[in-house]
Amino acid sequence: MNVMAKAEKKISSAFIYFFGSFGGILFGYDIGVMTGALPFLQADWHLENAASLVGWITSAVMFGAIFGGALAGQLSDKFGRRKMILMSAIVFMVFSVLSGVSPDMGEASAYYLIIVRMLLGLAVGAASALVPAYMSEMAPAKARGRLSGLNQTMIVSGMLLSYVVDFLLKDLPGEWAWRLMLGLAAVPALILFLGVLRLPESPRFLLRKGDEAQARKVLSYIRKNPAEIDQELASIKETAKEERQANQKTSWSTLFSGKYRYLVIAGVGVAAFQQFQGANAIFYYIPLIVQKATGQAASSNLMWPIVQGVILVVGSLVYMWIADKFNRRTLLMVGGAVMGLSFILPAVINWMMPNMNPMTIVVFLCIYVAFYSFTWAPLTWVLVGEIFPLAIRGRASGLASSFNWIGSWLVGLIFPIMTASMPQEAVFAIFGIICILGVIFVKTCVPETRGHTLEEIEEQGTNHGRVKASNPES
């Protein structure tokens, strides 16, 4: 068997993990690109005083992603993770180009761009649901935190790439700058498509469809020890057998049945809190935040997004270093507490010292981004990828992704409206309170998953009452 596995081995594990997580680049690029494109788009289409329209243009991708995540998660249970990632890359390419060639038709142009970006959001949402599920099913339990963290590294690398592209294009004529910024998103989508053509399907999906031979072959690419392959196959098959014996028919109501409710609430809750904590307000609007704080034009503040992007990338690398050394819950609670204080303290300082340096809030935002980058940012997707049982993984991952995008959409939509009607410090203080609520949620509702196989996590969820009674930290 070992000789046969070696003879069949044609795809390196590094290739699988790299392109398996590359979908995060698409996710990240489109999160970041509007940060630099928006000031030029506002000037080109005279939207400086149209806060609600600016909010809709910015958040349209997230609105589409709400449905893309749920739809892709459900379809991936039927057609496989790999095929749906390929489809997402195609959709992303098409609508990125259509965004860049938006016609100049007055007010109708804004509505065209909103609709196109909603459709683009279907692919962004799909990637956010599919990549964590695929990576968690390919990675061994002992390295799943680190390898699943590759998704976050790809996301923030995509964001940094978009910030750099925005900065390099900022001296072009305004009507060309924002179009190229949006249209160039098609390039990483094409790279993803070409890479995923060679990727194998998830072994867990293959076994679920009854193709044990192909599942064994895929595991031989990414597991060194034949005994480990046999053990993992046996574990997956046992779980699948129990599901067949129970004759389960999964539906949306199944997610909240007694057997699955605990883990679904935990995973979906963490995904929702990640966005309602306000991170994307920084990522989408940092030039406008600095403009409001200092009075400098937003289009001249495009170096700040790059600073944020570098912090995010460094943080993602820090996470990969510490991922499997600390409990998931510990990192989430420490990170959430510091993030909350980073948002609340500027409001407190401004109340005590009304003449506070306006850049103080930007310094605290950098502290927020630093802690977010190696805690909530990567761990949300690690948990989403590993916490849901096999029978509902695709559907539940899609639901978690949709709740994540609902938060992202609402933050992107209402932030410019909120800052137009109240001080920035007050807006961020509200997000700070949500961060603290997220810490309480993790403490009371989220189990520890580090070092457990996916099957052990499922068993832990099924018997969570007994487990928590004997081991409160779990």
Side-chain angles (χ1 to χ4, degrees):
M1 179 60 66
N2 191 29
V3 174
M4 183 180 299
K6 287 183 177 179
E8 293 175 342
K9 187 169 184 178
K10 298 178 182 178
I11 308 174
S12 72
S13 59
F15 183 93
I16 291 173
Y17 294 138
F18 180 81
F19 279 102
S21 61
F22 195 84
I25 290 281
L26 310 189
F27 182 0
Y29 189 96
D30 216 87
I31 286 176
V33 68
M34 189 54 75
T35 302
L38 191 57
F40 298 100
L41 177 61
Q42 283 181 301
D44 190 23
W45 285 357
H46 309 291
L47 301 175
E48 290 87 348
N49 298 314
S52 60
L53 201 55
V54 167
W56 268 108
I57 291 174
T58 303
S59 64
V61 164
M62 290 81 85
F63 185 79
I66 295 169
F67 306 98
L71 183 62
Q74 187 171 354
L75 292 177
S76 72
D77 281 343
K78 183 176 182 180
F79 298 109
R81 313 330 184 197
R82 175 182 172 275
K83 288 181 181 178
M84 293 309 301
I85 293 175
L86 282 171
M87 183 60 66
S88 299
I90 294 172
V91 173
F92 199 98
M93 277 189 283
V94 171
F95 288 103
S96 293
V97 172
L98 291 178
S99 296
V101 298
S102 298
D104 195 347
M105 305 179 296
E107 187 174 332
S109 300
Y111 295 108
Y112 166 89
L113 186 56
I114 289 170
I115 292 171
V116 168
R117 282 177 57 76
M118 282 183 183
L119 295 172
L120 174 62
L122 294 175
V124 175
S128 73
L130 295 169
V131 171
Y134 181 85
M135 289 298 290
S136 69
E137 293 181 357
M138 301 299 280
K142 63 183 179 181
R144 194 171 57 241
R146 185 173 69 255
L147 289 173
S148 295
L150 276 176
N151 179 45
Q152 178 61 20
T153 300
M154 290 295 187
I155 291 172
V156 296
S157 296
M159 293 172 67
L160 179 57
L161 174 65
S162 72
Y163 297 150
V164 172
V165 169
D166 290 349
F167 184 81
L168 293 176
L169 298 178
K170 67 183 177 63
D171 293 326
L172 290 177
E175 66 273 16
W176 283 104
W178 68 266
R179 293 178 185 278
L180 277 174
M181 291 172 186
L182 299 184
L184 285 173
V187 176
L190 176 61
I191 296 172
L192 173 66
F193 180 83
L194 296 175
V196 174
L197 284 175
R198 290 197 61 213
L199 283 188
E201 184 52 86
S202 155
R204 283 175 172 80
F205 176 81
L206 292 169
L207 268 180
R208 192 178 181 190
K209 294 302 180 182
D211 193 349
E212 181 176 346
Q214 186 63 23
R216 181 180 292 275
K217 181 178 179 181
V218 172
L219 283 173
S220 74
Y221 300 155
I222 52 180
R223 304 289 187 268
K224 297 180 180 179
N225 189 338
E228 183 183 1
I229 295 174
D230 292 336
Q231 182 179 359
E232 189 163 347
L233 285 171
S235 180
I236 298 170
K237 284 194 291 184
E238 181 61 28
T239 301
K241 179 181 177 182
E242 291 174 1
E243 291 166 358
R244 287 194 299 270
Q245 288 174 342
N247 194 28
Q248 292 182 342
K249 301 293 183 181
T250 61
S251 64
W252 288 112
S253 61
T254 306
L255 301 186
F256 295 97
S257 66
K259 182 177 181 180
Y260 299 123
R261 185 187 303 119
Y262 173 61
L263 294 178
V264 170
I265 290 175
V268 172
V270 169
F273 266 110
Q274 187 207 44
Q275 290 304 323
F276 282 109
Q277 290 168 338
N280 280 350
I282 303 172
F283 304 143
Y284 298 140
Y285 297 112
I286 186 64
L288 300 180
I289 292 170
V290 177
Q291 174 181 281
K292 189 164 185 177
T294 66
Q296 299 174 356
S299 58
S300 66
N301 288 317
L302 296 189
M303 183 57 71
W304 276 106
I306 295 178
V307 172
Q308 304 287 347
V310 171
I311 293 173
L312 285 168
V313 171
V314 172
S316 74
L317 297 176
V318 169
Y319 169 75
M320 291 181 68
W321 177 53
I322 67 173
D324 297 305
K325 299 178 181 179
F326 296 93
N327 284 347
R328 316 279 197 242
R329 282 161 42 93
T330 300
L331 289 174
L332 286 173
M333 289 189 287
V334 171
V338 176
M339 289 155 52
L341 290 174
S342 298
F343 274 159
I344 294 170
L345 284 178
V348 173
I349 294 172
N350 189 58
W351 174 66
M352 298 176 64
M353 302 169 55
N355 295 323
M356 176 184 76
N357 187 319
M359 287 302 291
T360 301
I361 190 172
V362 179
V363 173
F364 275 102
L365 292 185
C366 289
I367 296 172
Y368 173 98
V369 170
F371 276 82
Y372 176 81
S373 68
F374 67 86
T375 59
W376 279 84
L379 278 168
T380 294
W381 301 113
V382 173
L383 279 167
V384 165
E386 69 187 5
I387 202 170
F388 299 127
L390 177 62
I392 61 167
R393 185 165 299 135
R395 195 184 296 266
S397 296
L399 182 66
S401 175
S402 291
F403 268 83
N404 186 269
W405 284 109
I406 288 171
S408 182
W409 167 61
L410 287 174
V411 169
L413 177 64
I414 68 175
F415 182 78
I417 299 172
M418 292 173 70
T419 55
S421 58
M422 67 178 75
Q424 284 192 141
E425 293 84 356
V427 175
F428 286 120
I430 293 171
F431 289 133
I433 293 171
I434 297 174
C435 290
I436 301 303
L437 292 176
V439 172
I440 296 171
F441 177 82
V442 170
K443 177 67 176 176
T444 57
C445 300
V446 179
E448 184 55 58
T449 58
R450 180 173 70 99
H452 296 285
T453 66
L454 300 182
E455 288 67 38
E456 287 170 347
I457 295 169
E458 178 171 348
E459 179 68 17
Q460 180 179 347
T462 302
N463 302 294
H464 73 277
R466 173 177 57 81
V467 171
K468 289 186 74 64
S470 61
N471 184 6
E473 179 59 23
S474 298

